[in-house]
Amino acid sequence: MSRAVRAAVAALVVSLSAHVAAANSLRDVAAARGFFVGAAVDSTALAKESKYRTTLGREFNVCVGENAFKFENIHPAPGMYAFGPADSIVTFAETKGMRVRGHTLVWYQQLPAWVRNGSFTRDEAIALLREHITTVVSHFRGKIWAWDVVNEAVADDGSGLRTTSFWYQKIGADYVDLAFQIAHEVDPDAKLYYNDYGAEGDGAKSDAVFELVRGLQQRGVPIDGVGWQMHVRSGFRITDAHRANADRIAALGLRLTVTELDVRVVLPATAEKLAVQAESYRDIIAFCAAHPAFDAVLTWGFTDKHSWIPRFFKGEGAALPFDAKYKRKPAYKAMKTELARALNRRP
Ligand code: G3I
């Protein structure tokens, strides 16, 4: 074989294997069926690590900023907006043909001190809410598929809205309605979601979230969907309660997205534990990819190198589908296999 032929064959092998790898990515499996699979993005890792960028762009067709869009980061001082890190995520997504979810416009956490400690009348707090949502949503108008407009507004005991929230205390219960109305006025094409945790199955909190979104709809407030965060422990399984809850939300005409999936294990993460974890991933994907109300599933990060879990849950971690060296874990394989299988079962 001449040198030129050898080179041509080598080039063909490289391009064929690249094609096979691409065809086997999570995003290719999802996109073939009009579904979205995504991950939360750490804007610092995105800027610094090429492996991070390669994996993110190869595997996912939707992403969300893990922290970059939050109030304290994007609006750090009165009248001052810092869009750089969030813009970098949107630009990356555009170059890779990915959609973007915006997280989050209104939350009681990650508010800067000037907001938390400021003294605001109700009217001033409404003006702040309006200015913040208007500025942020118009900056990204046309670039954000879906906004988590309001995050974690419901109390954990399911008694109703979280009364300790800055927004509840300054404005009252109607801050939720206002937030959705303002976001819709500014970008009528963006899908607007209510996002929460611990409200996926049955129980008082799930009922309270359901009542909240049903109330929004009854009052004519523009809401398109509900985000199920799904920060769960290894061994987790979808039950009839999850199915019933998804069905009643879908019956309202609302969409669903798994917005922040991770499955934490007790460290050290042995092969046995990662196999158990993979079955939880499989079960969740099997459910949401087959359910017609779900548009997307996003994990909260994608590599164990960058995950909030070890910082917040002592002794737990390894919660994501790639390990800290960007190697595919059993969870990744379970996700991919199950995505293909479940999407084929979609009506
Ligand atoms: O950016 C600072 C850095 O300058 C400083 O040196 C460092 C020291 O601790 O802190 C850094 O900020 C941290 C930030 O994450 C970025 O890493 C904050 O302390 C830390 O509180 C913050 O945690 C985030 C958390 O929300 C805040 O409650 C997590 O990364 C983020 O994953 C987590 O995400 C939330 C969703 O928004 C809503 N649902 C639950 C989910 C998990 O808590």
Side-chain angles (χ1 to χ4, degrees):
M1 215 189 301
S2 77
R3 187 183 291 180
V5 172
R6 268 206 310 272
V9 169
L12 187 66
V13 167
V14 168
S15 107
L16 273 179
S17 35
H19 180 74
V20 168
N24 281 326
S25 70
L26 296 173
R27 71 177 281 171
D28 285 350
V29 175
R33 291 264 160 191
F35 196 71
F36 290 85
V37 60
V41 179
D42 172 337
S43 56
T44 307
L46 184 71
K48 290 192 176 156
E49 285 181 47
S50 69
K51 257 190 180 166
Y52 188 94
R53 290 189 293 274
T54 314
T55 310
L56 180 67
R58 184 188 68 224
E59 296 293 341
F60 302 103
N61 57 354
V62 56
C63 65
V64 58
E66 183 175 353
N67 288 296
F69 291 70
K70 291 174 180 172
F71 202 127
E72 71 175 1
N73 295 319
I74 214 162
H75 191 175
M80 190 206 146
Y81 288 83
F83 288 117
D87 281 343
S88 72
I89 293 172
V90 172
T91 304
F92 179 84
E94 281 173 347
T95 62
K96 300 291 176 189
M98 302 163 80
R99 291 192 180 184
V100 183
R101 300 190 85 259
H103 174 87
T104 174
L105 295 168
V106 184
W107 190 22
Y108 72 98
Q109 281 189 41
Q110 286 179 286
L111 286 173
W114 69 270
V115 173
R116 274 184 283 118
N117 305 332
S119 64
F120 296 89
T121 64
R122 174 175 145 88
D123 285 350
E124 287 166 347
I126 290 174
L128 175 65
L129 183 83
R130 184 175 295 283
E131 186 222 279
H132 179 77
I133 296 176
T134 303
T135 309
V136 174
V137 174
S138 60
H139 179 84
F140 295 107
R141 187 166 29 222
K143 298 180 174 182
I144 299 294
W145 177 30
W147 279 104
D148 288 335
V149 179
V150 176
N151 191 47
E152 300 171 10
V154 168
D156 288 340
D157 65 4
S159 55
L161 289 179
R162 196 184 281 278
T163 53
T164 49
S165 159
F166 168 88
W167 301 108
Y168 183 92
Q169 293 197 340
K170 301 293 176 190
I171 298 176
D174 56 339
Y175 85 86
V176 179
D177 297 38
L178 276 170
F180 278 90
Q181 282 156 350
I182 299 164
H184 182 67
E185 280 162 26
V186 181
D187 189 350
D189 294 330
K191 303 291 179 210
L192 306 183
Y193 277 65
Y194 174 75
N195 190 49
D196 215 328
Y197 63 84
E200 296 96 359
D202 53 8
K205 188 167 181 183
S206 294
D207 290 345
V209 167
F210 179 74
E211 291 307 332
L212 173 69
V213 300
R214 184 163 66 173
L216 289 170
Q217 276 200 320
Q218 283 168 349
R219 294 190 294 279
V221 175
I223 176 170
D224 298 288
V226 175
W228 284 7
Q229 293 187 8
M230 304 210 73
H231 297 292
V232 301
R233 286 205 159 83
S234 188
F236 173 91
R237 286 290 182 278
I238 292 289
T239 65
D240 286 344
H242 298 96
R243 291 185 195 97
N245 193 30
D247 289 347
R248 71 175 169 171
I249 293 169
L252 296 176
L254 295 174
R255 308 297 299 164
L256 279 156
T257 286
V258 173
T259 50
E260 306 185 13
L261 173 62
D262 47 30
V263 180
R264 57 189 184 274
V265 305
V266 174
L267 299 173
T270 60
E272 288 74 20
K273 288 183 193 173
L274 295 183
V276 173
Q277 175 191 51
E279 292 313 305
S280 292
Y281 268 99
R282 182 190 307 284
D283 195 53
I284 293 165
I285 296 290
F287 167 66
C288 67
H291 195 294
F294 281 85
D295 292 318
V297 53
L298 289 88
T299 48
W300 203 239
F302 55 92
T303 162
D304 293 336
K305 187 171 180 185
H306 301 287
S307 165
W308 70 296
I309 294 290
R311 279 186 292 131
F312 285 75
F313 295 91
K314 219 173 164 35
E316 293 179 87
L320 291 164
F322 289 86
D323 73 10
K325 293 186 169 153
Y326 295 92
K327 204 167 153 266
R328 296 166 177 86
K329 290 162 64 180
Y332 171 91
K333 288 162 198 158
M335 281 179 82
K336 193 157 69 181
T337 313
E338 209 52 49
L339 258 182
R341 206 193 327 246
L343 288 172
N344 278 330
R345 289 206 302 268
R346 247 169 126 82

